Amino acid sequence: MPAPYPTLPEIDDQLGALGDLQTYGTSVEGRPLLAVHVPCPGAERTVVVTAGIHGIEHVGVAVALEVLRRGPLDGANLLVCPVLNPDGYAHTVATEGREAVSALRKNARGVDLNRNFPLPYGATPSWIPTAGSLDPQSPTYRGQSPLSEPETHALAELLEQVRPWASANLHSFMGTLIAARVWHGSDWRAYTELCRAFRAGQGTGLGYPRLGTPIGDVFTGELEDWQHHVLRCWGVCVEAFSVAESLRQHVRAPTPFWRFNPREPEPVVQRDASGVRALLAHALTLPRPPERSEATRVRTAW
């Protein structure tokens, strides 16, 4: 550790050669938040790939970098934010991924950044522990208020300017696709199409299943819910690297890091980068999520 995964300085050195590099903010500890634009001549729409919102999930970062290496996407500008939580990423490298997952996934203030986005529709926080917690000791602590963290606040400002058409948000290690929480049939069916396109793009014959239900789901403060309901952006969480693959390397996974990241990442990176690009390409065939009057209402405090 970190081999075969790059350190932050190694990632930063790569990015300038992969597109137009932008610093859109700084982290709690002052590290730059970087985005790379890959323009498509004549394109008016932008699609987004994010990764590294949890510091321990390095394989997602590797997938995002591979999406970048493959160059422009036909019909849309590409924006990639490969490490949304650089402090967490650096902390994982410094500790060789040996601390508890709860310590490695959060930012430097102990906030789970993927529970820190505003809740749409004025929803109240769920009691389900994994949906976010008001307890600072919890691994899913949502922070003092929505967008309280510099990392989420800066990303929200960037995406509000860009108004992306679709976004793939990379995580690990469940080997599933988690679309934004929706209940309208047309939205549900559109996400079914997007997940099907991702699986076809993977080219393995047995791709990641969709995790979700049209009823009984809850808002959690996750990025894709905010993207869909506020930005009218198709948002899908991609949990790269499956549970089955993690279990197969379990005897060689003495630290939490190796539960979340493959020791040989290249097969996962190649197939999932193909899936991401296929998902984004299919999203361009869909209209934006429909504008609903209540969608602009968000909860500004927990």
Side-chain angles (χ1 to χ4, degrees), residues 119-190:
L119 301 179
Y121 294 91
T124 57
S126 171
W127 59 268
I128 301 173
T130 56
S133 172
L134 296 176
D135 178 5
Q137 303 307 312
S138 169
T140 57
Y141 173 52
R142 57 169 47 96
Q144 294 184 349
S145 61
L147 303 181
S148 60
E149 304 310 294
E151 298 91 348
T152 52
H153 187 270
L155 180 65
E157 287 192 332
L158 174 66
L159 296 185
E160 284 171 344
Q161 293 171 7
V162 171
R163 290 281 164 173
W165 197 268
S167 181
N169 306 312
L170 290 156
H171 295 254
S172 67
F173 68 113
M174 291 170 55
T176 57
L177 303 171
I178 306 173
R181 186 259 194 267
V182 296
W183 55 89
H184 295 281
S186 59
D187 292 346
W188 181 265
R189 290 187 293 272

Side-chain angles (χ1 to χ4, degrees), residues 9 27 29 37-38 41 79 132 138 147 160 162 174 194-195 205 207 232 235 241-242 265 270 272 276 282 291 293:
S27 68
E29 295 181 338
H37 299 256
V38 182
L79 173 67
S138 169
L147 303 181
E160 284 171 344
V162 171
M174 291 170 55
L194 292 172
C195 293
R232 295 177 58 213
F241 187 48
S242 69
Q270 294 299 322
D272 288 4
V276 166
H282 188 76
E291 185 172 6
S293 60

Side-chain angles (χ1 to χ4, degrees), residues 233-263:
C233 164
W234 299 109
V236 178
C237 164
V238 177
E239 292 274 358
F241 187 48
S242 69
V243 174
E245 290 169 317
S246 177
L247 289 174
R248 282 198 289 272
Q249 72 172 30
H250 183 69
V251 294
R252 297 186 296 147
T255 67
F257 181 85
W258 295 116
R259 283 172 46 204
F260 283 78
N261 303 283
R263 286 186 177 274

Side-chain angles (χ1 to χ4, degrees), residues 18-287:
L18 297 175
D20 299 328
L21 187 60
Q22 171 189 359
T23 299
Y24 65 91
T26 55
S27 68
V28 170
E29 295 181 338
R31 293 183 173 87
L33 301 171
L34 301 177
V36 180
H37 299 256
V38 182
C40 174
E44 297 183 356
R45 294 175 290 182
T46 297
V47 294
V48 171
V49 177
T50 75
I53 200 168
H54 294 139
I56 194 174
E57 298 172 4
H58 289 205
V59 66
V61 174
V63 174
L65 292 173
E66 178 59 24
V67 172
L68 261 178
R69 291 189 194 98
R70 296 189 186 185
L73 194 73
D74 289 342
N77 303 306
L78 177 64
L79 173 67
V80 178
C81 303
V83 189
L84 298 181
N85 180 9
D87 296 346
Y89 193 103
H91 182 68
T92 299
V93 172
T95 61
E96 298 185 336
R98 295 181 181 277
E99 292 190 354
V101 173
S102 60
L104 298 175
R105 70 182 263 126
K106 298 189 285 186
N107 78 344
R109 284 206 290 241
V111 174
D112 182 342
L113 298 178
N114 206 37
R115 300 295 184 272
N116 190 238
F117 288 89
L119 301 179
Y121 294 91
T124 57
S126 171
W127 59 268
I128 301 173
T130 56
S133 172
L134 296 176
D135 178 5
Q137 303 307 312
S138 169
T140 57
Y141 173 52
R142 57 169 47 96
Q144 294 184 349
S145 61
L147 303 181
S148 60
E149 304 310 294
E151 298 91 348
T152 52
H153 187 270
L155 180 65
E157 287 192 332
L158 174 66
L159 296 185
E160 284 171 344
Q161 293 171 7
V162 171
R163 290 281 164 173
W165 197 268
S167 181
N169 306 312
L170 290 156
H171 295 254
S172 67
F173 68 113
M174 291 170 55
T176 57
L177 303 171
I178 306 173
R181 186 259 194 267
V182 296
W183 55 89
H184 295 281
S186 59
D187 292 346
W188 181 265
R189 290 187 293 272
Y191 278 116
T192 298
E193 290 182 29
L194 292 172
C195 293
R196 187 180 298 126
F198 180 91
R199 289 192 291 271
Q202 283 183 298
T204 61
L206 184 63
Y208 297 160
R210 179 180 180 181
L211 179 64
T213 172
I215 58 174
D217 206 348
V218 296
F219 287 121
T220 64
E222 292 179 337
L223 175 56
E224 41 277 347
D225 289 345
W226 177 79
Q227 288 174 324
H228 180 99
H229 293 288
V230 178
L231 299 183
R232 295 177 58 213
C233 164
W234 299 109
V236 178
C237 164
V238 177
E239 292 274 358
F241 187 48
S242 69
V243 174
E245 290 169 317
S246 177
L247 289 174
R248 282 198 289 272
Q249 72 172 30
H250 183 69
V251 294
R252 297 186 296 147
T255 67
F257 181 85
W258 295 116
R259 283 172 46 204
F260 283 78
N261 303 283
R263 286 186 177 274
E264 299 176 2
E266 200 58 21
V268 175
V269 168
Q270 294 299 322
R271 76 171 186 224
D272 288 4
S274 295
V276 166
R277 291 179 70 93
L279 182 154
L280 295 174
H282 188 76
L284 296 174
T285 71
L286 302 174

